[in-house]
Amino acid sequence: MAEQTSAVAGMAVAAPHSTDELIRCAVGLARTCLGMDVGFVTEFRDGLRIFRHVASVEGFSPVRAGDYDPLDESYCALVVNGRIPAIVQDSHAYPELVALAATDQFDIRAHVGVPIRFHDGAVFGTFCCYSRNPEANLSNCDVGTLAAFANLIGELIESRVVGERARAAIVERLTDVISVGRFTMVYQGVFDTERQRVVGYEALARFAPESGRGPDQWFTEAHGVELGHRLEMLAIEKALAGLALIPDGVYLAINVSPQTILTGVLDAVLAGAPLDRLMLEVTEHCSITDYDQISQALAQLRKNGLRLAVDDAGSGYASFRHILKLKPDVIKLDQSLIRNIDHEAGSRALAAALITFAAATGSKVVAEGVETEDELSTLRELGVHTVEGYLTGRPGSLPAG
């Protein structure tokens, strides 16, 4: 039997320690209950039988977890295909098994095996036990015992495999998007209602509508598989290309997560960019455990002119901590706070508190998601004159010239 190579190791499905422990205990317990020498769980993949969990009687270790061999030369394949029964009391009574190399290689005489199936009927592999001696007392009751353990193991493995397959699909999808830049940037104007002009643009990523995923879901998924910083950096690179079309005196806002800031890649992507024309919007939907690290990572960029905004203020507790700890230049009131603010006394009170706080700390306020004249009128009464939303302009291409 070949030892596992790095290529095969890469095919292994990762599992939480607790799940592995449960499966190992089940394999050991089943082997002991049946009085067999070896018990093991296998996975069928790419024509191989891969041993995932193995329990052996002391002093006998014919196979280890991670070993593999050709599936079509194994007892496991014969069990699943129905070519041998679940119970083999003595392999020497079956010409096909006598001729099989595995019989002598692993010293198999008695064998009990059942498939491990998922809920959709797909075969993951097998749960088997075998002995070096014939076992005339093996019965259907023993098969039932093994099948019960196989069902338990199947439940544990399926939840893990489903999660890993979902993760693999996300990684593949994102890798494709990132490798070819399969998304575009649109720009939403930030409007000054007193001067009646656009004072900034926020760059927003837009993905193919047929994907069925909004931008938030794309970025959330990316962070879930450690690709968030790559997707964000590509979005920033694409956004910066629009600076050439933005007039002097008008800033460009780009979104970034705390995780990406902490990677240290921000300095490289912003190298050579006019920092005094940029505003970095820190997204709210992520917990920050060390604000000092964030502040230190941004210190030189801010010193060189980069402005900092806390996005989605008022939508959750994290945004208040961001404001207190990061001391932003701009506080952006979340659209959930702005929606129907002309009718919602609670929203007005919270917005007023944030506006008062901003004034006391030297921050400016921008209201997001303004869609009606009544919302705009209420915001102006509260002292907010810089807004962003469909009322003043939808996201789109930058005006030429």
Side-chain angles (χ1 to χ4, degrees):
M1 176 172 294
E3 291 189 359
Q4 184 181 32
T5 65
S6 59
V8 175
M11 300 191 304
V13 180
H17 178 72
S18 58
T19 301
D20 274 344
E21 278 299 317
L22 285 170
I23 295 174
R24 277 195 290 268
C25 287
V27 173
L29 183 58
R31 183 196 67 78
T32 302
C33 287
L34 296 178
M36 308 293 269
D37 293 328
V38 181
F40 55 83
V41 169
T42 67
E43 178 183 2
F44 297 172
R45 186 177 290 199
D46 299 331
L48 298 175
R49 173 182 66 160
I50 307 169
F51 291 84
R52 294 304 184 198
H53 303 274
V54 180
S56 302
V57 68
E58 186 175 354
F60 182 59
S61 302
V63 63
R64 296 173 296 175
D67 288 347
Y68 65 96
D69 58 10
L71 176 59
D72 60 5
E73 299 174 13
S74 70
Y75 276 56
C76 296
L78 299 177
V79 166
V80 171
N81 294 336
R83 289 166 58 186
I84 61 173
I87 299 172
V88 172
Q89 295 177 333
D90 186 353
S91 61
H92 289 185
Y94 295 82
E96 185 172 13
L97 296 180
V98 171
L100 197 66
T103 299
D104 288 335
Q105 183 180 358
F106 300 118
D107 198 5
I108 302 173
R109 290 297 295 271
H111 184 277
V112 184
V114 294
I116 296 176
R117 298 183 186 275
F118 290 160
H119 286 94
D120 62 359
V123 175
F124 171 80
T126 57
F127 185 18
C128 301
C129 291
Y130 78 85
S131 178
R132 290 168 287 179
N133 299 306
E135 298 287 348
N137 294 324
L138 287 174
S139 67
N140 289 331
C141 181
D142 296 314
V143 175
T145 298
L146 202 65
F149 278 106
N151 288 337
L152 169 63
I153 292 170
E155 292 280 352
L156 294 171
I157 292 175
E158 182 169 10
S159 61
R160 181 186 68 195
V161 169
V162 168
E164 286 298 318
R165 287 174 180 171
R167 178 185 174 88
I170 291 171
V171 169
E172 182 179 2
R173 184 164 58 241
L174 283 162
T175 300
D176 175 63
V177 165
I178 292 170
S179 63
V180 297
R182 206 181 299 279
F183 63 94
T184 60
M185 302 303 294
V186 295
Y187 299 81
Q188 183 160 29
V190 181
F191 195 76
D192 185 322
T193 60
E194 289 189 312
R195 290 182 285 175
Q196 288 294 299
R197 69 180 183 87
V198 172
V199 294
Y201 286 98
E202 180 181 1
L204 303 167
R206 290 293 182 264
F207 298 82
E210 59 268 21
S211 72
R213 294 173 178 81
D216 286 351
Q217 188 173 356
W218 278 101
F219 284 98
T220 298
E221 286 185 340
H223 282 293
V225 295
E226 289 77 50
L227 290 174
H229 69 285
R230 289 184 55 191
L231 186 60
E232 286 187 18
M233 288 303 95
L234 182 57
I236 290 175
E237 290 174 1
K238 285 176 169 283
L240 291 175
L243 265 175
L245 296 176
I246 297 177
D248 290 341
V250 178
Y251 69 83
L252 172 65
I254 51 180
N255 290 279
V256 69
S257 67
Q259 303 102 303
T260 295
I261 293 172
L262 289 175
T263 63
V265 298
L266 203 55
D267 287 342
V269 77
L270 295 181
L275 296 181
D276 59 336
R277 296 187 60 197
L278 299 179
M279 181 181 296
L280 200 66
E281 295 191 9
V282 179
T283 53
E284 186 272 340
H285 307 289
C286 176
S287 174
I288 297 177
T289 57
D290 192 332
Y291 283 92
D292 288 340
Q293 285 187 335
I294 296 287
S295 297
Q296 291 170 11
L298 295 175
Q300 190 60 46
L301 291 170
R302 296 185 73 178
K303 183 178 180 180
N304 291 338
L306 180 72
R307 283 174 287 176
L308 183 67
V310 166
D311 201 11
D312 305 329
S315 66
Y317 175 69
S319 63
F320 296 121
R321 287 182 56 82
H322 289 4
I323 291 168
L324 287 171
K325 299 294 185 179
L326 297 179
K327 299 177 175 58
D329 303 289
V330 173
I331 296 172
K332 298 192 72 175
L333 303 182
D334 186 68
Q335 60 183 351
S336 64
L337 186 63
I338 302 306
R339 188 174 298 112
N340 296 321
I341 194 172
D342 48 309
H343 297 300
E344 299 288 343
S347 295
R348 287 197 303 276
L350 180 54
L354 287 167
I355 293 163
T356 300
F357 176 85
T361 56
S363 299
K364 299 185 182 300
V365 173
V366 174
E368 296 182 293
V370 180
E371 296 186 355
T372 70
E373 290 287 353
D374 289 338
E375 290 170 351
L376 178 60
S377 177
T378 300
L379 287 166
R380 298 187 70 176
E381 291 173 5
L382 291 171
V384 178
H385 301 284
T386 307
V387 300
E388 183 179 346
Y390 285 179
L391 180 66
T392 54
R394 291 176 175 267
S397 301
L398 289 168

